[in-house]
Amino acid sequence: MKKVLFAVMAMMAIGFSSCGNKAKAPADSTETEVTVNADDEAAATINALTEQIEAKDANKFQEVLASVKDKVMEIIGKNPEVAKEYVTKVQDFLKENADKIKEFVGDNEAINSAINALTAAPADAIVSGFTSAVEGISNAGEAAKEAASDAADAAKEKASDAAEAAKDKAGDAIDAAADKAKKGLGI
């Protein structure tokens, strides 16, 4: 279980560092439902990976692998079950072509880590890891809004207390001045 969790976290870390954290939040329920086909999405990714294997271009291959994370995040927002199918198809392709990939990738640690992260964990674990990341980002935003609201309320209360204290001091000063004036007049 620890290996699966590590693999998912490694994939997320590689994805975030290589893509500039371009994660997309799930679509609002007010938007129209868009149908996503795992076969079509996976075919496009697999075609791109195949092109880079044939071209033996490790840099482009790494870019396509990084785009898998973005595609999974996009599909999760539309249908998590389709995202699992997509990941499974990409995993199968990477496993079937492992020898060809190793021929031109060699010891490229970033690519090997990304492949291991994608293939070592079950598709369900990868998708749930990304789903948790999206929810975590969303929850962090809500927590920040709540903290800002609490800070604003505390500032208002502090200002109100300060205004009340200023009124009390002003009243005391007026009373003291009146008493002094009365003494001065002999009243």
Side-chain angles (χ1 to χ4, degrees):
M1 186 66 178
K2 288 181 182 178
K3 290 180 181 178
V4 170
L5 181 59
F6 177 76
V8 170
M9 296 306 293
M11 178 61 187
M12 290 172 49
I14 290 168
F16 282 117
S17 66
S18 66
C19 294
N21 194 12
K22 298 177 186 175
K24 296 179 181 178
D28 292 338
S29 59
T30 58
E31 294 181 11
T32 58
E33 185 68 24
V34 177
T35 307
V36 180
N37 185 332
D39 292 332
D40 293 343
E41 299 294 339
T45 300
I46 289 170
N47 285 338
L49 289 169
T50 302
E51 287 176 13
Q52 300 318 314
I53 289 171
E54 291 170 359
K56 299 189 183 311
D57 187 345
N59 291 329
K60 294 286 185 181
F61 187 82
Q62 185 174 3
E63 289 175 16
V64 175
L65 278 178
S67 73
V68 170
K69 179 203 73 82
D70 290 337
K71 183 57 74 177
V72 171
M73 297 295 276
E74 178 184 324
I75 297 171
I76 285 173
K78 297 174 184 171
N79 187 337
E81 291 302 316
V82 173
K84 290 176 190 174
E85 292 176 39
Y86 170 79
V87 170
T88 300
K89 291 179 186 308
V90 172
Q91 285 177 328
D92 291 344
F93 174 80
L94 291 172
K95 289 175 184 176
E96 291 170 6
N97 293 284
D99 293 335
K100 291 179 185 176
I101 295 169
K102 286 184 182 186
E103 282 179 18
F104 75 93
V105 170
D107 292 333
N108 186 320
E109 189 176 322
I111 294 175
N112 289 325
S113 294
I115 291 171
N116 288 336
L118 266 173
T119 58
D124 291 347
I126 292 172
V127 170
S128 64
F130 283 133
T131 302
S132 296
V134 169
E135 289 172 357
I137 292 168
S138 178
N139 291 342
E142 291 299 319
K145 287 179 187 176
E146 188 174 319
S149 176
D150 290 347
D153 291 344
K156 285 179 187 176
E157 185 176 328
K158 192 95 165 163
S160 176
D161 290 347
E164 191 64 38
K167 284 182 188 177
D168 290 344
K169 285 185 179 182
D172 291 345
I174 291 171
D175 289 343
D179 287 343
K180 190 174 182 181
K182 286 180 186 177
K183 278 186 180 177
L185 293 173
I187 302 178

